[in-house]
Amino acid sequence: MTEAIIAIITVALIVFIYIGSYVLNRRVPAPYQKVDEATCGACSNYACGVKQKLSEER
């Protein structure tokens, strides 16, 4: 019985931390950085949103 209560409390704590960090992260504005096209072209991440936005502008 004690193990079940500890397991439930642990899962509830993990869910609470996840939801709390999500809410706190939504309040913080994203930093704005101007991206240099030359350095962005050297990146190998094809799923990068910045790279997709730059290729649409070209």
Side-chain angles (χ1 to χ4, degrees), residues 18-19 21 23 52:
Y18 176 78
I19 293 172
S21 65
V23 169
Q52 292 173 359

Side-chain angles (χ1 to χ4, degrees), residues 6-51:
I6 292 173
I8 291 171
I9 291 173
T10 303
V11 170
L13 184 63
I14 291 171
V15 169
F16 178 74
I17 290 172
Y18 176 78
I19 293 172
S21 65
Y22 177 78
V23 169
L24 290 174
N25 193 30
R26 301 257 315 155
R27 292 182 183 176
V28 177
Y32 176 75
Q33 294 178 337
K34 185 168 175 129
V35 178
D36 185 22
E37 292 182 26
T39 58
C40 187
C43 176
S44 63
N45 185 0
Y46 296 106
C48 178
V50 174
K51 185 180 282 188

